Structure formats: C-alpha cells, structure tokens
Amino acid sequence: SYEFQHRSYCRSFEVTSQPMQPTPALQVDGVSVDLGGVEVLKDVSFSITPGNLVGVVGPNGGGKTTLFNVVAGIWPVTQGVIQINGEPINGAIQNLAYVPQRELVNWRFPVTAADVVMHGRTRLIGWLRRPTRHDKNVVEHCLRQVDMWHRRSALVTELSGGQRQRVFVARALAQEARLLLLDEAFSGVDVGSQEELVAILRRLRDQDKTILMATHDLTGLAQRFDEVVCINRHVCAYGPPDVAFTPEVLAELYGAHGVQFSQANEPQVDQDV
C-alpha cells in the first residue's frame, strides 16, 4: 500500500542520510614547497574544521613559517592545493589575517596601539579614504577583545612583548578575517603573558574563529590547543595533543635523543636540540 511504501521510504532515508560536514576552514592537500633547490615542505596535507585553536608544532627550520607564508599567499606552492573556506586562496585571502614573527616587525616606527589596529582596516577602508565612525568603533571593539583598550594611546615601543602580541591580534581581528595565523606568538613573551594570550585566543575560538599558532615550545600543549599539526618538513602527526605526541612522533620531530618524558608523561625538549 502507499502508506507502507511511504513508511519504508522514510526508514530508508533515516538510515542512509548523513549529517552535513562543515566546510573546512583550511584545507591543505599535498603541498610541497621548493626554495632554491631545497624541498622545505613535502606532501603536506591536513584539514581543519572551523572554530578550532590549533598549534603548529615543530623544530626550528621544520617549515612552520614556510607553511604560513604559502597559506597566506606570500610564497607560491611548488605542488598541491590550499583552500580557505572551500575556496582557492587567491579568492579567499580576505578571510585570512597573518601575524608574523616579532623579529619581522619594525618596532621603532612611532605609532600607537590604536594606529596599529586601524592599519588592519586599510584593505576595507581603501588607501585614499579616511576612517569612518564605524572603523573607529571596530578598532575599539578589537582592542577591548584583547584587553588593550586602556593602552590605546600608548606607543608600541612602550608596550611589553605580551601587550604587543595582543595589539597585533587585535589588528588581525580588525581585518574581519575568520582564519588567523600567528607565527611564534610566544617568542619573547613571559609565561604569564602567554597564558593571557591563550585565554584571549580561546575566547576568539569560541566566537567561531579558526586560529593556527606556530610554536616550537611544547609546554602545556594539551591545555593550550584543541589540536596540533606536528611538522618537520612533512606532517608527522595531526590530532589532539595527547594523541598526536607519541614517542615516535617526538623522535621524528626532534631526534631520537632530544626528547625526555617527565613523570606526568609530558614531553620536554633538551635545550641543546
């Protein structure tokens, strides 16, 4: 009968239908990069869902900065494909904001914290236009998100390392990007400021931002990141920190004799590695 056929169809649909998977915030497929005849990245692949705080972990020279530069479209890939929110990077670069290593920033330039954040609005404002009231409101909102509104008039040279990093995160937020890349944001920052920065990044993650932060510091990774990409020219592992960090992966990252385990089974890297 029709009723029997209808019920059978519904049961069949319930069994076979699958929940829709979200479009990855970042998809990297088979990416290789050759710089001056040296293969810096080899067949790198991973996929990150939106709303994740991800650590990109590996030794110095392991390709973390190169990966960020190709994702940001600064350097070309030799082979492979990168997509942001399901689109090629050329058409989706406006959805990405990049905070480079602090060594690449000219800290002597006399600008205030608010000036730095407003500079993140340049693409949206246009080079020959003055900021509107909306742009100023966005700057205030972004500085408040990183707890730096009270230092908005301070020169960048007057800020601590942790405060500078927070200002640059605010600058990235002012670009209205959904994907944030932070390269070695813990460099030159004391432990207390690192934890404050992690708390800010977690709040942003909860607002459905996707954040990748490159680091070679293995301290407290399970408490800081939802997932980690372990990279040493290729992807050694990808997943939650307590799953990804096996003795084999740590040996592949830092060498067979470079890793020790504490009593809490937390990896620690020898200083001379």
Side-chain angles (χ1 to χ4, degrees):
S1 67
Y2 170 78
E3 182 180 358
F4 175 79
Q5 292 175 343
H6 179 69
R7 287 199 305 268
S8 298
Y9 172 78
C10 291
R11 285 196 298 270
S12 176
F13 180 81
E14 290 170 0
V15 171
T16 58
S17 63
Q18 297 293 330
M20 292 184 63
Q21 297 297 320
T23 300
L26 176 63
Q27 180 86 38
V28 179
D29 286 323
V31 166
S32 297
V33 177
D34 187 295
L35 297 176
V38 177
E39 194 171 43
V40 184
L41 294 177
K42 181 179 181 180
D43 196 24
V44 171
S45 297
F46 59 88
S47 178
I48 297 175
T49 56
N52 266 306
L53 176 55
V54 180
V56 180
V57 182
N60 291 329
K64 301 185 299 295
T65 296
T66 300
L67 175 64
F68 278 18
N69 281 330
V70 296
V71 170
I74 298 171
W75 293 349
V77 299
T78 305
Q79 181 179 320
V81 175
I82 299 174
Q83 291 185 322
I84 298 173
N85 295 327
E87 299 180 24
I89 55 174
N90 290 341
I93 204 67
Q94 71 275 7
N95 291 319
L96 177 146
Y98 184 17
V99 180
Q101 293 185 33
R102 64 194 305 270
E103 288 80 6
L104 302 178
V105 178
N106 182 4
W107 299 109
R108 295 175 296 179
F109 199 68
V111 293
T112 66
D115 292 334
V116 171
V117 180
M118 183 62 78
H119 190 262
R121 302 286 300 168
T122 299
R123 176 181 55 81
L124 300 170
I125 297 171
W127 287 101
L128 302 178
R129 296 182 179 179
R130 296 179 63 85
T132 64
R133 169 54 56 184
H134 172 69
D135 296 312
K136 294 176 182 178
N137 289 340
V138 170
V139 169
E140 176 179 349
H141 175 68
C142 293
L143 281 169
R144 288 189 183 278
Q145 281 192 288
V146 299
D147 301 324
M148 285 296 293
W149 177 243
H150 67 292
R151 298 303 310 273
R152 60 190 178 276
S153 299
L155 295 175
V156 173
T157 53
E158 300 171 348
L159 302 177
S160 69
Q163 290 174 329
R164 291 175 182 178
Q165 290 292 8
R166 283 191 269 166
V167 167
F168 272 83
V169 170
R171 179 184 182 275
L173 293 176
Q175 298 177 49
E176 300 183 11
R178 305 301 304 173
L179 176 64
L180 277 61
L181 307 180
L182 285 72
D183 195 359
E184 297 290 357
F186 289 157
S187 177
V189 178
D190 63 78
V191 174
S193 296
Q194 290 180 18
E195 296 309 318
E196 291 173 357
L197 181 59
V198 170
I200 290 167
L201 296 179
R202 285 187 170 275
R203 290 204 301 267
L204 296 175
R205 173 208 61 189
D206 293 342
Q207 298 171 20
D208 209 31
K209 302 283 188 184
T210 305
I211 305 163
L212 279 73
M213 191 175 80
T215 181
H216 61 273
D217 185 359
L218 301 185
T219 305
L221 289 176
Q223 291 73 43
R224 291 176 171 176
F225 299 109
D226 303 318
E227 297 178 324
V228 290
V229 178
C230 302
I231 185 168
N232 189 2
R233 300 182 185 270
H234 66 279
V235 173
C236 305
Y238 174 48
D242 56 352
V243 174
F245 281 110
T246 65
E248 293 77 15
V249 169
L250 287 164
E252 193 173 358
L253 287 173
Y254 299 104
H257 304 291
V259 178
Q260 298 176 338
F261 286 91
S262 68
Q263 292 182 349
N265 212 25
E266 171 133 331
Q268 297 179 336
V269 181
D270 288 345
Q271 295 296 320
D272 58 350
V273 174

